[in-house]
Amino acid sequence: MPFTKIQTEKLSQSVVRQIEQLILRGILRPGERLPSERELSDRLGVSRPSLRDAVADLQARGLLSSRAGAGIYVAEVLGSAFSGALVQLFATHDEAVFDYIAFRRDMEGLAAERAARLGSDTDLKVVDVIFQKMEAAHLKRDPTDEAALDAQFHLAIIESSHNVVMLHMMRSMYDLLRQGVFYNRQMMFRNRTTRELLLDQHRAINTGLQARDPAAARAAVEAHLTYVEQSLSDQLRADRNEAIAQQRFQHEQSRT
């Protein structure tokens, strides 16, 4: 008969499973510092030796890392999602920019649809709070804050979709975007007309989500990223035209 004796699980393994779940679900994020050993053992209700065993296990598997004199951190587990060589290719070829936006449009459209259907009331409240912060930053005309909140808004929607594979994949993509690998996001928030349109687009996304209308939420995300794609295409064309004009000007100057 296919039965075996039930083994009592060590406390350290229970701690391991809880921390694993928090990392998997994106609640504990790469680079985030864990509470001190005393505080964490109190929160978990386990002894310090059990906690140390759990931390050692998670460190050995690359999920946690220690920093001398600073504590224990969630490892930068997304760092290997793209090789350095591939990131360099992304940064130097325009086609990667547009493939990136097309990929985001597909994935984030699906995420918005799922969030409208599956997100909890708290999930949608988080999205709404971030949008309110976006409105406040818009009034301050601070492109840095607007760009940062833009990323938070989109990632909150992805988190609300409750698909852990999508969550970790898209966080990795956003890390590259923050680094300016694909394009300078802050530039889009420096033009007054563009800023107004972007805010309206995010408002439409939020409205669809809060109404729990999957089709409207998805359509709003897709429309937003189509606009981003067209804006970048126009900017690249304008940059090329300016480069040609500069060459022509320099050539004419050299002839006089």
Side-chain angles (χ1 to χ4, degrees):
M1 298 294 287
F3 300 106
T4 58
K5 289 184 178 179
I6 301 297
Q7 300 293 323
T8 301
E9 186 176 53
K10 292 172 59 178
L11 279 176
S12 62
Q13 286 306 305
S14 296
V15 173
V16 165
R17 286 193 298 105
Q18 184 173 152
I19 294 176
E20 282 179 338
Q21 286 180 334
L22 291 172
I23 293 173
L24 179 66
R25 295 169 181 170
I27 296 169
L28 286 177
R29 304 185 179 198
E32 186 170 346
R33 185 180 183 277
L34 266 60
S36 68
E37 184 179 276
R38 173 185 291 181
E39 182 181 353
L40 190 54
S41 64
D42 286 345
R43 287 192 192 182
L44 294 168
V46 300
S47 67
R48 292 195 190 184
S50 292
L51 177 60
R52 289 184 197 127
D53 287 345
V55 168
D57 184 351
L58 292 163
Q59 285 181 300
R61 291 192 285 118
L63 291 173
L64 296 180
S65 62
S66 61
R67 301 179 190 176
I72 303 297
Y73 291 77
V74 178
E76 297 288 352
V77 291
L78 299 180
S80 61
F82 300 101
S83 69
L86 188 55
V87 169
Q88 192 63 32
L89 283 176
F90 286 161
T92 54
H93 290 79
D94 289 351
E95 66 185 89
V97 173
F98 296 105
D99 283 348
Y100 166 79
I101 295 173
F103 180 79
R104 274 188 61 194
R105 184 165 48 225
D106 291 342
M107 290 297 99
E108 293 189 35
L110 176 59
E113 184 179 274
R114 286 176 56 88
R117 287 193 296 108
L118 305 175
S120 69
D121 290 345
T122 301
D123 284 323
L124 299 187
K125 183 177 180 180
V126 169
V127 174
D128 189 50
V129 166
I130 295 172
F131 177 70
Q132 291 174 35
K133 290 180 180 179
M134 293 176 76
E135 290 184 308
H138 181 78
L139 294 175
K140 294 178 182 177
R141 299 181 181 179
D142 186 335
T144 301
D145 280 354
E146 286 187 282
L149 288 164
D150 172 78
Q152 289 179 33
F153 179 81
H154 286 276
L155 282 172
I157 294 170
I158 292 163
E159 290 168 352
S160 302
S161 73
H162 293 284
N163 182 302
V164 295
V165 175
M166 183 186 293
L167 169 61
H168 288 282
M169 179 174 60
M170 294 307 293
R171 272 195 183 162
S172 182
M173 299 293 284
Y174 267 90
D175 283 344
L176 295 183
L177 186 60
R178 287 193 186 97
Q179 296 166 27
V181 169
F182 293 106
Y183 57 89
N184 185 339
R185 293 165 58 248
Q186 292 185 22
M187 288 297 294
M188 298 198 69
F189 291 96
R190 288 176 182 161
N191 179 285
R192 180 176 179 178
T193 302
T194 301
R195 288 175 65 247
E196 294 290 343
L197 287 170
L198 289 173
L199 186 65
D200 287 343
Q201 290 162 15
H202 287 104
R203 181 178 292 107
I205 295 168
N206 188 47
T207 298
L209 288 169
Q210 303 306 324
R212 291 195 175 275
D213 186 334
R218 181 168 192 158
V221 166
E222 291 174 347
H224 165 59
L225 287 166
T226 296
Y227 173 78
V228 170
E229 180 181 48
Q230 186 59 56
S231 296
L232 286 172
S233 178
D234 291 345
Q235 184 60 53
L236 288 171
R237 185 180 300 109
D239 290 345
R240 280 193 290 266
N241 290 345
E242 177 61 19
I244 293 169
Q246 289 285 348
Q247 288 177 327
R248 185 178 296 116
F249 176 77
Q250 290 170 8
H251 181 61
E252 290 298 326
Q253 289 289 94
S254 67
R255 294 175 61 186
T256 58

